[in-house]
Amino acid sequence: MIPLPYVYKIAHKTTGQFYIGYRCANKVQANLDLGIKYFTSSGYVKELGFENFKVDWIEEFDDSETAYKFEQLIIFESFKDPLCLNKKCHFGKERWS
């Protein structure tokens, strides 16, 4: 199967803090990538230790643009939650390259 871009949510096992991320550079399927080859780009998750997080969900997409837009929408909807570890949201803004 062809690896697809994906959006994921991981949650800290103890505190409930969560991080929402997006990946399109994966060379393998999401279930063989997240937590095995890829451990997020979040410095906060790295500080807390990826092993202390559980994967809440992964959603795969046919193209990276749709995945990115979905990630930003979910971050936007969660941004004011004090448990959200995402510190930036680009929903509704022109995408950087």
Side-chain angles (χ1 to χ4, degrees), residues 2-3 14-15 19-20 26 28 30-31 34 38 49-50 75-76 79 83-84 97:
I2 298 171
T14 305
T15 67
Y19 179 78
I20 298 159
N26 48 312
V28 296
N31 64 330
L34 184 61
Y38 179 68
F50 188 88
I75 292 170
F76 177 77
F79 206 60
L83 296 176
C84 182
S97 57

mmCIF file of all heavy atoms in Angstrom, residues 2-3 14-15 19-20 26 28 30-31 34 38 49-50 75-76 79 83-84 97:
data_model
loop_
_atom_site.group_PDB
_atom_site.id
_atom_site.type_symbol
_atom_site.label_atom_id
_atom_site.label_comp_id
_atom_site.label_asym_id
_atom_site.label_seq_id
_atom_site.Cartn_x
_atom_site.Cartn_y
_atom_site.Cartn_z
ATOM 1 N N ILE A 2 0.383 2.279 -0.634
ATOM 2 C CA ILE A 2 1.092 3.547 -0.726
ATOM 3 C C ILE A 2 0.912 4.308 0.588
ATOM 4 O O ILE A 2 -0.200 4.431 1.090
ATOM 5 C CB ILE A 2 0.546 4.389 -1.894
ATOM 6 C CG1 ILE A 2 0.767 3.667 -3.221
ATOM 7 C CG2 ILE A 2 1.177 5.772 -1.918
ATOM 8 C CD1 ILE A 2 0.071 4.320 -4.385
ATOM 9 N N PRO A 3 2.010 4.828 1.152
ATOM 10 C CA PRO A 3 1.873 5.637 2.372
ATOM 11 C C PRO A 3 1.080 6.912 2.075
ATOM 12 O O PRO A 3 1.330 7.593 1.082
ATOM 13 C CB PRO A 3 3.311 5.987 2.746
ATOM 14 C CG PRO A 3 4.185 5.145 1.897
ATOM 15 C CD PRO A 3 3.384 4.677 0.740
ATOM 16 N N THR A 14 -0.764 10.546 31.583
ATOM 17 C CA THR A 14 -1.045 10.980 32.948
ATOM 18 C C THR A 14 -1.811 12.294 33.003
ATOM 19 O O THR A 14 -2.815 12.405 33.701
ATOM 20 C CB THR A 14 0.279 11.126 33.740
ATOM 21 O OG1 THR A 14 0.986 9.897 33.668
ATOM 22 C CG2 THR A 14 0.014 11.470 35.189
ATOM 23 N N THR A 15 -1.340 13.284 32.264
ATOM 24 C CA THR A 15 -1.908 14.634 32.380
ATOM 25 C C THR A 15 -3.087 14.901 31.454
ATOM 26 O O THR A 15 -3.841 15.841 31.681
ATOM 27 C CB THR A 15 -0.840 15.699 32.076
ATOM 28 O OG1 THR A 15 -0.480 15.601 30.688
ATOM 29 C CG2 THR A 15 0.381 15.538 32.970
ATOM 30 N N TYR A 19 -1.539 16.655 21.707
ATOM 31 C CA TYR A 19 -0.895 17.311 20.574
ATOM 32 C C TYR A 19 -1.520 16.770 19.301
ATOM 33 O O TYR A 19 -1.729 15.561 19.162
ATOM 34 C CB TYR A 19 0.609 17.040 20.581
ATOM 35 C CG TYR A 19 1.338 17.672 19.431
ATOM 36 C CD1 TYR A 19 1.648 19.022 19.441
ATOM 37 C CD2 TYR A 19 1.712 16.922 18.327
ATOM 38 C CE1 TYR A 19 2.307 19.617 18.377
ATOM 39 C CE2 TYR A 19 2.377 17.501 17.262
ATOM 40 C CZ TYR A 19 2.672 18.847 17.287
ATOM 41 O OH TYR A 19 3.324 19.426 16.237
ATOM 42 N N ILE A 20 -1.798 17.673 18.375
ATOM 43 C CA ILE A 20 -2.359 17.307 17.079
ATOM 44 C C ILE A 20 -1.302 17.608 16.032
ATOM 45 O O ILE A 20 -0.732 18.704 16.013
ATOM 46 C CB ILE A 20 -3.644 18.106 16.797
ATOM 47 C CG1 ILE A 20 -4.687 17.755 17.866
ATOM 48 C CG2 ILE A 20 -4.160 17.829 15.395
ATOM 49 C CD1 ILE A 20 -5.759 18.766 18.033
ATOM 50 N N ASN A 26 6.109 10.746 5.281
ATOM 51 C CA ASN A 26 6.263 9.353 5.685
ATOM 52 C C ASN A 26 6.525 8.451 4.478
ATOM 53 O O ASN A 26 5.977 8.652 3.407
ATOM 54 C CB ASN A 26 5.035 8.869 6.466
ATOM 55 C CG ASN A 26 3.722 9.202 5.808
ATOM 56 O OD1 ASN A 26 3.493 10.327 5.390
ATOM 57 N ND2 ASN A 26 2.844 8.223 5.727
ATOM 58 N N VAL A 28 6.271 5.070 4.999
ATOM 59 C CA VAL A 28 5.489 3.880 5.326
ATOM 60 C C VAL A 28 4.113 4.323 5.809
ATOM 61 O O VAL A 28 3.899 5.495 6.115
ATOM 62 C CB VAL A 28 6.180 3.008 6.404
ATOM 63 C CG1 VAL A 28 7.509 2.462 5.888
ATOM 64 C CG2 VAL A 28 6.394 3.782 7.689
ATOM 65 N N ALA A 30 0.875 5.049 8.112
ATOM 66 C CA ALA A 30 0.819 5.761 9.394
ATOM 67 C C ALA A 30 0.992 4.834 10.586
ATOM 68 O O ALA A 30 1.727 5.154 11.515
ATOM 69 C CB ALA A 30 -0.507 6.517 9.503
ATOM 70 N N ASN A 31 0.345 3.678 10.573
ATOM 71 C CA ASN A 31 0.437 2.772 11.727
ATOM 72 C C ASN A 31 1.823 2.154 11.873
ATOM 73 O O ASN A 31 2.142 1.597 12.923
ATOM 74 C CB ASN A 31 -0.642 1.684 11.659
ATOM 75 C CG ASN A 31 -0.478 0.771 10.469
ATOM 76 O OD1 ASN A 31 0.019 1.166 9.428
ATOM 77 N ND2 ASN A 31 -0.930 -0.454 10.606
ATOM 78 N N LEU A 34 4.104 6.419 12.970
ATOM 79 C CA LEU A 34 3.954 7.203 14.197
ATOM 80 C C LEU A 34 4.320 6.369 15.427
ATOM 81 O O LEU A 34 3.764 5.307 15.662
ATOM 82 C CB LEU A 34 2.520 7.727 14.321
ATOM 83 C CG LEU A 34 2.251 8.645 15.503
ATOM 84 C CD1 LEU A 34 3.123 9.905 15.431
ATOM 85 C CD2 LEU A 34 0.786 9.033 15.564
ATOM 86 N N TYR A 38 8.650 7.928 13.424
ATOM 87 C CA TYR A 38 8.391 9.360 13.584
ATOM 88 C C TYR A 38 7.781 9.611 14.960
ATOM 89 O O TYR A 38 6.854 8.906 15.370
ATOM 90 C CB TYR A 38 7.423 9.828 12.478
ATOM 91 C CG TYR A 38 7.071 11.279 12.545
ATOM 92 C CD1 TYR A 38 8.021 12.256 12.295
ATOM 93 C CD2 TYR A 38 5.776 11.686 12.851
ATOM 94 C CE1 TYR A 38 7.691 13.609 12.352
ATOM 95 C CE2 TYR A 38 5.438 13.032 12.893
ATOM 96 C CZ TYR A 38 6.399 13.985 12.643
ATOM 97 O OH TYR A 38 6.073 15.304 12.689
ATOM 98 N N GLY A 49 8.556 13.231 26.547
ATOM 99 C CA GLY A 49 8.854 11.859 26.155
ATOM 100 C C GLY A 49 7.702 11.217 25.410
ATOM 101 O O GLY A 49 6.638 11.001 25.983
ATOM 102 N N PHE A 50 7.917 10.923 24.145
ATOM 103 C CA PHE A 50 6.860 10.348 23.314
ATOM 104 C C PHE A 50 6.285 9.075 23.940
ATOM 105 O O PHE A 50 5.098 8.794 23.822
ATOM 106 C CB PHE A 50 7.365 10.044 21.893
ATOM 107 C CG PHE A 50 6.271 9.630 20.957
ATOM 108 C CD1 PHE A 50 5.556 10.567 20.247
ATOM 109 C CD2 PHE A 50 5.936 8.289 20.809
ATOM 110 C CE1 PHE A 50 4.515 10.185 19.393
ATOM 111 C CE2 PHE A 50 4.905 7.901 19.966
ATOM 112 C CZ PHE A 50 4.202 8.850 19.252
ATOM 113 N N ILE A 75 -6.764 21.766 15.181
ATOM 114 C CA ILE A 75 -6.003 22.606 16.116
ATOM 115 C C ILE A 75 -6.824 23.848 16.471
ATOM 116 O O ILE A 75 -6.935 24.215 17.640
ATOM 117 C CB ILE A 75 -4.634 23.004 15.533
ATOM 118 C CG1 ILE A 75 -3.727 21.770 15.424
ATOM 119 C CG2 ILE A 75 -3.965 24.075 16.398
ATOM 120 C CD1 ILE A 75 -2.440 22.010 14.649
ATOM 121 N N PHE A 76 -7.420 24.486 15.479
ATOM 122 C CA PHE A 76 -8.244 25.672 15.707
ATOM 123 C C PHE A 76 -9.366 25.379 16.698
ATOM 124 O O PHE A 76 -9.623 26.159 17.612
ATOM 125 C CB PHE A 76 -8.816 26.166 14.368
ATOM 126 C CG PHE A 76 -9.742 27.335 14.496
ATOM 127 C CD1 PHE A 76 -9.252 28.615 14.711
ATOM 128 C CD2 PHE A 76 -11.115 27.158 14.392
ATOM 129 C CE1 PHE A 76 -10.110 29.701 14.822
ATOM 130 C CE2 PHE A 76 -11.991 28.230 14.508
ATOM 131 C CZ PHE A 76 -11.483 29.509 14.723
ATOM 132 N N PHE A 79 -7.657 24.876 20.204
ATOM 133 C CA PHE A 79 -6.595 25.809 20.587
ATOM 134 C C PHE A 79 -6.765 26.437 21.963
ATOM 135 O O PHE A 79 -5.789 26.680 22.660
ATOM 136 C CB PHE A 79 -6.461 26.888 19.515
ATOM 137 C CG PHE A 79 -5.103 27.500 19.437
ATOM 138 C CD1 PHE A 79 -3.985 26.745 19.162
ATOM 139 C CD2 PHE A 79 -4.930 28.860 19.639
ATOM 140 C CE1 PHE A 79 -2.727 27.300 19.086
ATOM 141 C CE2 PHE A 79 -3.679 29.444 19.557
ATOM 142 C CZ PHE A 79 -2.573 28.657 19.288
ATOM 143 N N LEU A 83 -5.283 22.015 27.840
ATOM 144 C CA LEU A 83 -4.507 20.774 27.695
ATOM 145 C C LEU A 83 -3.836 20.654 26.325
ATOM 146 O O LEU A 83 -3.005 19.774 26.117
ATOM 147 C CB LEU A 83 -5.398 19.561 27.945
ATOM 148 C CG LEU A 83 -5.969 19.434 29.364
ATOM 149 C CD1 LEU A 83 -6.901 18.242 29.455
ATOM 150 C CD2 LEU A 83 -4.864 19.340 30.396
ATOM 151 N N CYS A 84 -4.183 21.554 25.408
ATOM 152 C CA CYS A 84 -3.629 21.512 24.054
ATOM 153 C C CYS A 84 -2.174 21.971 24.072
ATOM 154 O O CYS A 84 -1.869 23.077 24.525
ATOM 155 C CB CYS A 84 -4.456 22.386 23.123
ATOM 156 S SG CYS A 84 -3.891 22.365 21.408
ATOM 157 N N SER A 97 5.262 27.770 2.600
ATOM 158 C CA SER A 97 5.835 26.723 1.728
ATOM 159 C C SER A 97 7.165 26.272 2.272
ATOM 160 O O SER A 97 7.752 26.893 3.107
ATOM 161 C CB SER A 97 6.004 27.249 0.304
ATOM 162 O OG SER A 97 6.805 28.398 0.311
#
